[in-house]
């Protein structure tokens, strides 16, 4: 019999809204193929109002695992059976594994955010950081940053006050000095951005071509600007950062790094990093 036919098949997916432009299917399918696994990965658009039913359905069809993206990273928690330590700390999940019928939550966004940062920053001592957004990705960033010594201040800008306060409380609880700001206060945003060593966008703003609230004139050449939005590769924020001669961290770097860890959680195998990276860069082209 053909060895391939004997292989166990497994299905994985990503749930989010919007999710049509996700490159996770491409990246993981390339990795499965490279590792000769008979696995496949698809995308499902799940609106917030259907999250519970959708997770129940995934459990019923014995999905092997899935990723969770905007806007479900926090709300998914109540529908899972158990969590790893990092996702418990962050109160946010981006990766789920089905272990014998139980859905277990993990947070690989922490590594996804911290690995690209650690490649650029050897010493976090004294840093002023600006974070846009207060959802799941912000919470992952706060847990990752709490493991670095000496960060001076973290300013978080968000529209929704409740979510903002929850993120501030989380950051302060894990030992960071976090301060809340209104996302629409452009004067304050301009002032804080100019004084920041690192600007991190954790919102979905830019995905649909929206303008960033941070202008070129608010970014200094010494600032590192990291946008977790990966499509388009040059969001308005990264365009502004490039024009300001700042240092850029592209969203695809987070996508890749969180993806390596998710692959490893699901398969127990080391991720084929080059294959995953080349697959993504085949879409984007190496940024100039
Ligand atoms: P996820 O769980 O994937 O992080 P989320 O918890 O819904 O998704 O968080 C998304 C973040 O992006 C939130 O901080 C959200 O701001 P609000 O809390 O004010 O809703 C932010 N966000 C999404 N769309 C935005 C927009 N158009 N302008 C500003 N912020 C936006």
């Amino acid at each position: 019999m053909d060895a391939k036919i004997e292989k166990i098949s497994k299905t994985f997916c990503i749930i989010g809204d919007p999710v049509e432009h996700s490159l996770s299917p491409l990246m993981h399918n390339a990795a499965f193929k490279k590792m000769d696994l008979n696995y496949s990965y698809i995308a499902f658009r799940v609106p917030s109002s259907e999250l519970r039913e959708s997770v129940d359905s995934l459990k019923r069809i014995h999905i092997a695992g899935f990723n969770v993206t905007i806007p479900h990273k926090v709300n998914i928690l109540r529908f899972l059976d158990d969590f790893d330590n990092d996702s418990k700390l962050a109160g946010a999940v981006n990766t789920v594994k089905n272990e014998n019928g139980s859905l277990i939550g993990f947070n690989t966004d922490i590594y996804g955010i911290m690995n690209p940062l650690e490649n650029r920053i050897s010493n976090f001592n004294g840093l002023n950081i600006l974070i846009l957004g207060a959802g799941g990705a912000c919470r992952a960033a706060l847990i990752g940053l709490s493991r670095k010594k000496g960060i001076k201040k973290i300013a978080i800008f968000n529209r929704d006050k409740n979510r903002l306060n929850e993120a501030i409380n989380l950051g302060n609880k894990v030992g960071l000095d976090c301060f809340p700001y209104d996302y629409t206060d452009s004067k304050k945003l301009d002032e804080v951005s100019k004084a920041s060593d690192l600007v991190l966008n954790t919102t979905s703003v830019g995905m649909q071509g929206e303008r960033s609230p941070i202008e070129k004139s608010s970014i200094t050449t010494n600032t590192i600007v990291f946008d977790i939005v990966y499509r388009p590769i040059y969001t308005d924020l990264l365009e502004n950062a490039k024009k300001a001669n700042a240092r850029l961290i592209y969203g695809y770097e987070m996508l890749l790094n969180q993806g390596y860890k998710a692959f490893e959680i699901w398969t127990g195998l080391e991720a084929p990093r080059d294959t995953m990276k080349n697959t993504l860069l085949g879409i984007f082209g190496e940024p100039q």
Side-chain angles (χ1 to χ4, degrees):
M1 193 191 272
D2 184 342
K4 269 211 168 349
I5 294 171
E6 284 183 325
K7 274 196 204 140
I8 295 169
S9 65
K10 288 187 182 180
T11 305
F12 298 84
C13 70
I14 181 165
I15 59 170
D17 186 18
V19 81
E20 297 77 35
H21 299 296
S22 171
L23 292 176
S24 289
L26 193 82
M27 176 176 75
H28 283 294
N29 284 321
F32 294 150
K33 190 166 174 217
K34 172 72 182 173
M35 301 304 280
D36 206 18
L37 296 165
N38 191 22
Y39 298 175
S40 55
Y41 187 114
I42 47 183
F44 288 123
R45 188 175 81 84
V46 171
S48 292
S49 58
E50 291 169 22
L51 185 60
R52 177 192 293 276
E53 296 90 308
S54 302
V55 174
D56 279 352
S57 304
L58 290 174
K59 198 169 180 178
R60 239 176 285 131
I61 61 166
H62 306 289
I63 192 95
F66 57 97
N67 281 130
V68 183
T69 191
I70 252 175
H72 306 314
K73 285 178 180 174
V74 175
N75 291 336
I76 188 85
L77 265 80
R78 69 185 88 153
F79 307 125
L80 301 180
D81 299 302
D82 206 354
F83 308 93
D84 79 332
N85 194 39
D86 275 355
S87 57
K88 229 180 265 172
L89 276 173
V93 161
N94 76 310
T95 300
V96 176
K97 185 180 186 189
N98 188 337
E99 286 181 6
N100 305 315
S102 291
L103 296 181
I104 317 296
F106 296 84
N107 193 309
T108 73
D109 279 345
I110 298 175
Y111 182 79
I113 292 168
M114 293 311 293
N115 191 44
L117 283 179
E118 284 162 358
N119 286 340
R120 277 38 173 232
I121 306 170
S122 52
N123 184 358
F124 286 72
N125 209 23
L127 288 194
N128 285 303
I129 299 175
L130 188 170
I131 298 180
L132 292 173
C138 165
R139 298 175 69 91
L142 292 174
I143 297 305
L145 292 170
S146 74
R147 293 170 181 160
K148 298 291 167 189
K149 285 204 173 67
I151 291 173
K152 193 165 167 199
K153 177 181 163 179
I154 301 186
I156 306 178
F157 285 78
N158 200 57
R159 295 176 310 187
D160 183 281
K161 281 209 169 54
N162 287 335
R163 204 169 286 150
L164 176 59
N165 287 332
E166 281 168 18
I168 295 289
N169 289 341
L170 173 69
N172 290 337
K173 195 178 89 189
V174 294
L176 296 163
D177 257 336
C178 295
F179 299 87
Y181 296 99
D182 179 356
Y183 185 90
T184 60
D185 185 346
S186 49
K187 203 162 156 248
K188 196 74 201 171
L189 188 56
D190 172 63
E191 179 193 316
V192 175
S193 177
K194 279 180 180 151
S196 294
D197 305 289
L198 168 66
V199 169
L200 171 63
N201 176 41
T202 69
T203 74
S204 53
V205 173
M207 222 183 253
Q208 322 279 349
E210 308 96 310
R211 286 193 60 188
S212 169
I214 300 184
E215 308 281 347
K216 175 193 150 199
S217 55
S218 314
I219 303 170
T220 73
T221 45
N222 298 325
T223 310
I224 295 176
V225 180
F226 186 174
D227 197 335
I228 71 161
V229 174
Y230 61 81
R231 215 172 188 188
I233 189 163
Y234 282 103
T235 55
D236 186 54
L237 174 62
L238 288 184
E239 284 281 6
N240 292 344
K242 196 176 178 202
K243 285 182 201 147
N245 281 321
R247 285 186 287 165
L248 276 55
I249 305 183
Y250 299 94
Y252 80 81
E253 298 181 55
M254 176 189 178
L255 173 67
L256 269 178
N257 282 286
Q258 63 77 30
Y260 299 152
K261 288 288 173 196
F263 182 95
E264 288 166 9
I265 286 166
W266 292 328
T267 65
L269 303 170
E270 203 177 310
R273 292 187 174 215
D274 286 347
T275 299
M276 294 165 83
K277 185 172 180 186
N278 293 338
T279 302
L280 283 191
L281 289 183
I283 300 279
F284 294 130
E286 191 90 46
Q288 302 299 317

